[in-house]
Amino acid sequence: QNVIEWIIDFTNSIIKSTMPGRDGQKFGLLIFTLFSFIFVSNQLGLMLQITVNNVTYVKSPTANVMTTMTLAFMVLLLAHFLGVKKFGFKGYFKNTYLSPIPFLLPISVLEEFTNFLTLALRLYGNIYSGEVLLKLIYKFSKVYGIASFVPAVPLEIIWQG
């Protein structure tokens, strides 16, 4: 219970610092859920990896690009939906894509797409590369027997930390 309360306080403080007032209070459960899901998903690959015949069956869900793209797409859709709800479609489109100059509409659309890709691929790349490095350290530990196992253990602990 204390851990859950700490996580709730942590996510609520993030919301209060970025969206003060009543607007931010609506997103408490969403941010808590996203934080918890991403945190647990990232830790799975550190604690548990099941590999049989060079095929990994259990790893971090966030080491799969489709998971991170789905999360990013969900947040993007929610942001657009709430923007349209608050300003109306015309006001939201004008404020988001046509300002400061309507000439920049193609660049604004490209920016939305790149924001989506950046959100998804940054999380995916970090977790995937971390798992690849852990696999390499594990393989290194088996190469020269005890001579490679001894330095591999602290490397593994440091990287997981």
Side-chain angles (χ1 to χ4, degrees), residues 99-126:
S99 76
I101 303 169
F103 178 75
L104 297 176
L105 175 67
I107 293 174
S108 297
V109 171
L110 182 65
E111 180 185 13
E112 285 293 322
F113 180 69
T114 57
N115 284 342
F116 161 71
L117 282 180
T118 302
L119 273 174
L121 296 179
R122 209 172 6 160
L123 176 60
Y124 162 72
N126 287 333

Side-chain angles (χ1 to χ4, degrees), residues 132-141 152 155-156 159:
V132 167
L133 188 59
L134 287 173
K135 286 179 189 176
L136 287 173
I137 294 171
Y138 174 73
K139 287 180 181 181
F140 168 70
S141 72
L155 272 173
E156 184 99 11
W159 184 252

Side-chain angles (χ1 to χ4, degrees), residues 15-159:
I15 293 169
K16 286 177 187 171
S17 67
T18 57
M19 292 187 285
R22 296 189 50 79
D23 287 339
Q25 292 176 351
K26 295 184 277 187
F27 299 105
L29 185 59
L30 172 69
I31 301 304
F32 169 76
T33 305
L34 278 175
F35 178 83
S36 301
F37 175 77
I38 292 171
F39 181 76
V40 169
S41 296
N42 293 348
Q43 299 307 312
L44 280 176
L46 293 177
M47 294 182 273
L48 180 67
Q49 284 190 15
I50 298 175
T51 304
V52 178
N53 296 329
N54 290 331
V55 177
T56 304
Y57 291 104
V58 177
K59 62 180 184 175
S60 296
T62 48
N64 182 345
V65 72
M66 291 310 293
T67 302
T68 58
M69 284 188 151
T70 302
L71 289 170
F73 190 67
M74 180 185 71
V75 170
L76 183 75
L77 281 179
L78 183 65
H80 286 304
F81 172 75
L82 293 173
V84 169
K85 185 177 174 184
K86 184 172 185 174
F87 298 111
F89 182 77
K90 187 176 178 181
Y92 178 71
F93 188 79
K94 180 182 172 191
N95 290 333
T96 303
Y97 296 108
L98 300 179
S99 76
I101 303 169
F103 178 75
L104 297 176
L105 175 67
I107 293 174
S108 297
V109 171
L110 182 65
E111 180 185 13
E112 285 293 322
F113 180 69
T114 57
N115 284 342
F116 161 71
L117 282 180
T118 302
L119 273 174
L121 296 179
R122 209 172 6 160
L123 176 60
Y124 162 72
N126 287 333
I127 302 306
Y128 181 75
S129 64
E131 289 188 2
V132 167
L133 188 59
L134 287 173
K135 286 179 189 176
L136 287 173
I137 294 171
Y138 174 73
K139 287 180 181 181
F140 168 70
S141 72
K142 297 187 330 183
V143 173
Y144 297 111
I146 195 75
S148 60
F149 181 77
V150 170
V153 170
L155 272 173
E156 184 99 11
I157 292 170
I158 289 169
W159 184 252

